[in-house]
Amino acid sequence: MRYKLFCSPKTLAAALLLVTGCVAPSKQVPAQQIPSLKDAFKNDFLIGTALNVAHIQERDQKAAVLIPKQFNAATPENIMKAEHIHPEWGRYDFDMPDKLVEYGKKNNISINAHTLIWHSQMPAFARRMQSVDSFRTFFNEHIKTVAGRYKGKVQSWDVVNEALNEDGTMRRSPFLQKLGPDFVTEAFRLAAAADPQAQLYYNDYNNEQPAKRAGCIALIKKVQDAGVKIDGVGIQGHWHVGRVPFQHIEESIEQYAALGIKVAFTELDIEVLPRNFQGADVNQRMQDNPGLNPYKDGLPDSVQQQLAKDYQQLFELFLKHKDKISRVTFWGVTDGDSWLNGWPVRGRTNYPLLFDRNYEPKPAFYKVVATKRK
């Protein structure tokens, strides 16, 4: 019988959810009958989520229950980015990052620290620097101090974030302009010295696309050829419903793994709203108009089912290559937490994740769990 294969027989509602990914709004599955993502994939790869300050402080009881049940890895959304953790020359703010580490310890959640070097969300004082020597001192001390503070306390670091253009060339960031193209290698060298136990990743978006992937491979090889530790590459995975580039993703997993490193999907979400460009450059924006926010009152079933299909196909691909993948992290806990509600247009209603705004599993959630039952 189909129900016996896919679900607990306790309730017909639960059975229908697991088989079809659908349920009437009034037929919520009891919380104790909802499967756990981290348990489903415990022998495959870590399942992570992005945490904001409210999550870390456990202000919302529903989130406080949901997160430890579903996830065994976490990445901070903003609190470890340089403008927050290092707001002034010689002054660091470790309050929330320390709380994140304690949260992870309390809930048996591995922490991926994000991020040491990124051209965006830099401290204002560093952006204003004209002296190359002063900027290099900032670069060196920031990595040594921040990575050193969490030595042995985090599982991994996104050491360098988004250093490439779409064509695979180096982005003309303040780091490239002042320190030259070897800044990536030096960042990994410093991070490895500050925290030898941490896994060290290069992280980017669209680096599953052929041109950017080629640049990313060249960058990784450059670090390796210098004899510097690099453990993995993060593919952010900001994709669009109905247009997930499955072939490019599979090619990327295979080509990155051939370098002897692990692949992580670090910021996964599948956008359902219209947009006139690809990627995840936070500096890009679109002018608001009503047509760009079509689902204010709820997601049409056809889109919901396409979203579920995309997530199912993604996780089938991830499982096919589970020996090469270290972690799959969703960029947010619920749809209501997603950064895509405010970017590239503020105030939109987006639905890119596996849990809805009421902390309930969506059809996509059950399709993902069902990939382990095939």
Side-chain angles (χ1 to χ4, degrees):
M1 292 292 291
R2 188 172 175 85
Y3 295 152
K4 290 180 181 178
L5 287 173
F6 286 91
C7 67
S8 166
K10 290 182 180 179
T11 67
L12 178 59
L16 289 172
L17 270 168
L18 286 170
V19 174
T20 68
C22 304
V23 69
S26 61
K27 298 290 186 181
Q28 292 185 346
V29 178
Q32 65 270 24
Q33 294 183 26
I34 296 172
S36 165
L37 289 168
K38 70 175 185 181
D39 291 344
F41 297 96
K42 64 183 178 181
N43 296 322
D44 307 310
F45 35 71
L46 294 173
I47 297 290
T49 188
L51 298 182
N52 59 35
V53 170
H55 295 141
I56 297 165
Q57 294 181 333
E58 298 183 281
R59 296 181 203 163
D60 187 310
Q61 187 56 37
K62 287 185 177 180
V65 172
L66 176 69
I67 293 166
K69 177 178 179 178
Q70 295 293 336
F71 305 105
N72 51 17
T75 301
E77 282 187 346
N78 285 300
I79 60 171
M80 298 185 91
K81 291 171 181 172
E83 72 173 1
H84 295 283
I85 204 169
H86 191 179
E88 297 176 4
W89 183 273
R91 183 173 75 84
Y92 295 84
D93 184 352
F94 293 120
D95 180 54
M96 284 310 304
D98 286 355
K99 286 183 170 64
L100 170 68
V101 170
E102 289 304 311
Y103 176 91
K105 188 184 300 183
K106 170 186 172 183
N107 292 290
N108 198 27
I109 290 175
S110 298
I111 302 300
N112 172 63
H114 174 80
T115 172
L116 287 171
I117 298 299
W118 187 30
H119 65 277
S120 189
Q121 292 185 252
M122 285 175 58
F125 78 85
R127 194 171 292 280
R128 291 192 298 265
M129 284 179 177
Q130 299 299 315
S131 165
V132 171
D133 288 341
S134 295
F135 192 83
R136 188 180 301 277
T137 298
F138 155 72
F139 176 86
N140 292 347
E141 292 305 314
H142 179 81
I143 295 174
K144 290 177 182 177
T145 302
V146 176
R149 183 176 182 88
Y150 298 103
K151 178 181 179 180
K153 298 179 181 179
V154 299
Q155 185 188 59
S156 56
W157 269 104
D158 291 332
V159 177
V160 177
N161 200 48
E162 300 173 7
L164 296 171
N165 294 313
E166 296 305 292
D167 64 358
T169 60
M170 294 289 288
R171 182 192 293 271
R172 193 168 171 77
S173 70
F175 298 101
L176 180 68
Q177 291 176 290
K178 291 185 171 64
L179 304 179
D182 291 335
F183 83 86
V184 175
T185 300
E186 187 59 22
F188 277 88
R189 191 192 312 276
L190 290 165
D195 190 353
Q197 298 176 30
Q199 298 172 22
L200 306 182
Y201 283 75
Y202 172 76
N203 190 52
D204 216 325
Y205 61 84
N206 282 358
N207 55 338
E208 78 284 348
Q209 297 297 320
K212 197 167 188 177
R213 181 204 309 152
C216 193
I217 288 172
L219 192 66
I220 292 164
K221 285 182 175 179
K222 185 175 181 179
V223 177
Q224 292 176 324
D225 289 346
V228 174
K229 174 181 173 175
I230 180 169
D231 298 289
V233 59
I235 299 174
Q236 290 183 14
H238 297 297
W239 295 310
H240 201 284
V241 69
R243 302 204 301 268
V244 179
F246 296 107
Q247 181 178 343
H248 292 331
I249 295 167
E250 182 163 31
E251 291 169 351
S252 297
I253 294 170
E254 293 170 339
Q255 291 181 30
Y256 287 133
L259 300 175
I261 61 174
K262 285 289 188 179
V263 179
F265 291 88
T266 55
E267 303 181 18
L268 179 59
D269 47 33
I270 300 180
E271 186 173 9
V272 302
L273 299 183
R275 201 194 325 163
N276 59 14
F277 64 91
Q278 288 186 317
D281 187 338
V282 294
N283 294 312
Q284 288 186 276
R285 291 281 173 178
M286 290 171 61
Q287 187 172 356
D288 191 13
N289 72 66
L292 295 177
N293 193 23
Y295 309 134
K296 290 186 293 184
D297 300 321
L299 198 61
D301 183 66
S302 60
V303 183
Q304 189 84 271
Q305 296 308 318
Q306 181 63 56
L307 182 69
K309 180 180 178 182
D310 286 348
Y311 268 119
Q312 176 185 2
Q313 192 170 344
L314 258 181
F315 271 78
E316 288 172 347
L317 181 58
F318 294 162
L319 286 171
K320 178 181 177 182
H321 295 285
K322 63 183 182 179
D323 60 315
K324 307 173 185 71
I325 296 171
S326 58
R327 172 170 48 91
V328 177
T329 293
F330 295 90
W331 204 240
V333 178
T334 73
D335 287 340
D337 302 313
S338 174
W339 71 301
L340 292 170
N341 295 303
W343 180 88
V345 179
R346 289 185 174 87
R348 296 206 293 180
T349 307
N350 219 318
Y351 305 82
L353 298 169
L354 299 189
F355 294 91
D356 66 21
R357 285 166 169 76
N358 295 317
Y359 302 87
E360 294 293 333
K362 293 158 61 177
F365 171 90
Y366 290 101
K367 289 294 187 182
V368 165
V369 172
T371 62
K372 285 295 294 179
R373 292 179 165 88
K374 290 192 171 182

